[in-house]
Amino acid sequence: MTTTLRQDVSQTSRDILVEDPRTRRHRRLWTPAFLVAILVTLGLLVVSLLTGQFDVFGGEDWENFWMFSITRVPRTVALVLAGAAMAMCGVIMQLLTQNRFVEPSTMGTTEWAGLGLILVMWLVPSATLFERMVGAVIMSFVGTMVFFAFLRRVSLKSSLIVPIIGIMLGAVVSSATTYLALMTDRLQTLGIWFQGSFTGVIQGRYELLWIVLGVTVLVFIVADQFTVAGLGRDMATNVGLNYAFVLFMGTAMVAVATGVTATVVGALPFLGLVVPNIVALFRGDDLRTNLPWVVLVGICTVTICDLIGRLIIAPFEIPVGMVLGLVGGVVFLGLLLRQRRKGGLVS
C-alpha cells in the first residue's frame, strides 16, 4: 500500500468514526480513566504473582524464589499475552464480519485448532510443542477460511445467523476431533485442552506465546485498515483498500494467535466476545483508540477469571476456561437481550 493510499484510508477511518457520538467523546487516549485502568491491571498482575500454595517469601535459601521464577512469573506473563491476543482476535473478526457476536470460539476457529493439535499428535507422536503449534495454526487458518466461505453463500437476515453458523461448524469439527482422540487414545488430553488452564504454564512451556506479541503489534500498525474493512467490501474498495488482502491478513493474524494460545493454554471461550463489546459499549468503534483499552480489559478479564479459579476451591484449581465460559455465557445473553431491545437482531 502506498503512503498516499494509507493516508486516505486513515483519513476515511477518522471521518466516518467521528460521526459516532461515543467516539467523539473518547478520542483522547491518555485520560485519568486510562491511567487508573493501567494501575488496576498492574495491581491484578501483582496479586497473580503472589497467589499460590507456597510462600514466596518463606524459606532460608533461594529455593522458593527459584520456584517463583519458573512458575508464577511464566503464568503471569502468559495471562498478559493470551488475554491481550484473544481479546484483539475478537475485535478483528467482529470488524471483518460486521457482527458483534463473532469471536474465535463462536466461529469454530478454536475447534479447528484442537483438530490440528490432535492430528499432529496422531501423525507425529513425538512432535514438539512448536510442531503442534504449527498444526494448530494451519488448521485454524483453514477453518476460518471455511467459515468465511459459508458466510458468502448464506443470506444473512439476522445478526444471529453468523455466530450460529460458526457454532455449528465448530460442533461438527469438535465431534470429528473427539472421535479421532477416542480412536487414538488421546481423549483425556483433548479434555484437558478443551478446559483451558494456566496450571501447566511453567518455564519452558510458555515461550511460544511471545509470538502473539508480534501479532498484537501488527494489529496496532494496521488498525485503520481493519476499521475501513469493517464498513463492508463495497465501501472499503471505493476508498482504495485491498479488501481481499485485509481479509486474508486478519484471518492469518487470528489463526496465529488462536493456534499459539490453544497450544500453550487451551481454549479460552468468549474472551474475544466479552471484551470488545464492553469497550465498544462505552467508547464507540474507533479501533485505534480502543485497542489499548481492549488489551487492558482483556488482561484484567482473564487474570480475574484465573484468580477465581485458583482461589475458589484452593488448594485445587478450576480451569480458567470454565470460569470464562460462565462469564462469557452471561454476557452473551445480555448482548442478545440488548440487541433485541434495540431491534438489531433482524437486519
Side-chain angles (χ1 to χ4, degrees):
M1 178 179 286
T2 63
T3 302
T4 304
L5 182 55
R6 188 180 298 112
Q7 291 172 346
D8 289 344
V9 169
S10 299
Q11 186 59 46
T12 302
S13 171
R14 288 193 293 271
D15 291 344
I16 294 173
L17 289 172
V18 78
E19 296 175 4
D20 185 345
R22 291 169 301 175
T23 302
R24 285 201 302 270
R25 287 197 302 270
H26 299 292
R27 293 294 295 180
R28 291 175 58 239
L29 173 63
W30 292 100
T31 60
F34 186 66
L35 296 177
V36 170
I38 293 176
L39 292 177
V40 169
T41 305
L42 292 175
L44 285 170
L45 295 179
V46 171
V47 172
S48 175
L49 286 170
L50 299 178
T51 301
Q53 294 307 308
F54 70 90
D55 184 6
V56 176
F57 303 105
E60 298 179 352
D61 50 28
W62 288 94
E63 183 179 355
N64 283 7
F65 180 77
W66 176 74
M67 284 293 292
F68 174 78
S69 66
I70 67 169
T71 57
R72 302 272 183 88
V73 173
R75 182 170 188 151
T76 304
V77 172
L79 287 169
V80 172
L81 295 174
M86 294 310 294
M88 288 206 298
C89 283
V91 174
I92 295 172
M93 296 317 299
Q94 287 168 22
L95 282 171
L96 294 181
T97 59
Q98 298 177 281
N99 190 299
R100 293 196 181 281
F101 299 112
V102 172
E103 63 108 28
S105 65
T106 61
M107 54 190 283
T109 304
T110 305
E111 284 74 12
W112 281 93
L115 178 59
L117 286 173
I118 291 296
L119 279 174
V120 171
M121 285 189 280
W122 174 45
L123 297 173
V124 189
S126 60
T128 63
L129 199 61
F130 177 80
E131 291 166 340
R132 295 177 190 176
M133 180 208 73
V134 172
V137 169
I138 291 174
M139 293 307 291
S140 297
F141 182 79
V142 171
T144 308
M145 296 307 288
V146 170
F147 173 75
F148 278 114
F150 267 91
L151 287 188
R152 290 195 189 98
R153 296 176 180 274
V154 176
S155 175
L156 302 178
K157 295 183 179 180
S158 167
S159 58
L160 282 179
I161 293 294
V162 178
I164 286 175
I165 292 174
I167 292 172
M168 289 175 62
L169 280 173
V172 172
V173 174
S174 179
S175 298
T177 306
T178 303
Y179 176 77
L180 186 60
L182 185 64
M183 297 300 292
T184 56
D185 198 22
R186 290 183 172 82
L187 200 55
Q188 186 176 6
T189 303
L190 183 67
I192 295 172
W193 174 82
F194 268 123
Q195 291 176 350
S197 174
F198 289 87
T199 305
V201 176
I202 59 175
Q203 185 177 350
R205 281 192 52 84
Y206 84 103
E207 286 79 1
L208 288 176
L209 275 174
W210 286 109
I211 295 175
V212 303
L213 180 62
V215 176
T216 303
V217 173
L218 192 56
V219 172
F220 273 90
I221 294 173
V222 299
D224 289 333
Q225 296 183 46
F226 284 130
T227 301
V228 176
L231 301 173
R233 178 189 293 271
D234 294 339
M235 183 169 287
T237 304
N238 285 338
V239 299
L241 185 74
N242 187 337
Y243 182 83
F245 175 74
V246 174
L247 184 66
F248 176 84
M249 181 170 59
T251 303
M253 289 180 181
V254 170
V256 171
T258 305
V260 173
T261 305
T263 304
V264 178
V265 179
L268 297 177
F270 297 123
L271 184 60
L273 172 72
V274 173
V275 174
N277 278 288
I278 291 176
V279 173
L281 189 65
F282 295 99
R283 294 184 53 82
D285 292 319
D286 187 351
L287 178 59
R288 182 164 294 284
T289 59
N290 281 359
L291 275 179
W293 277 95
V294 170
V295 169
L296 290 181
V297 177
I299 294 170
C300 287
T301 302
V302 77
T303 303
I304 291 172
C305 290
D306 183 60
L307 287 171
I308 292 173
R310 292 155 74 177
L311 295 174
I312 196 166
I313 59 168
F316 303 103
E317 289 191 19
I318 295 176
V320 67
M322 189 180 297
V323 182
L324 273 172
L326 177 63
V327 174
V330 172
V331 173
F332 186 73
L333 291 175
L335 288 172
L336 288 179
L337 294 175
R338 183 172 179 271
Q339 288 285 86
R340 184 173 180 271
R341 284 197 299 270
K342 293 171 62 179
L345 288 179
V346 178
S347 58

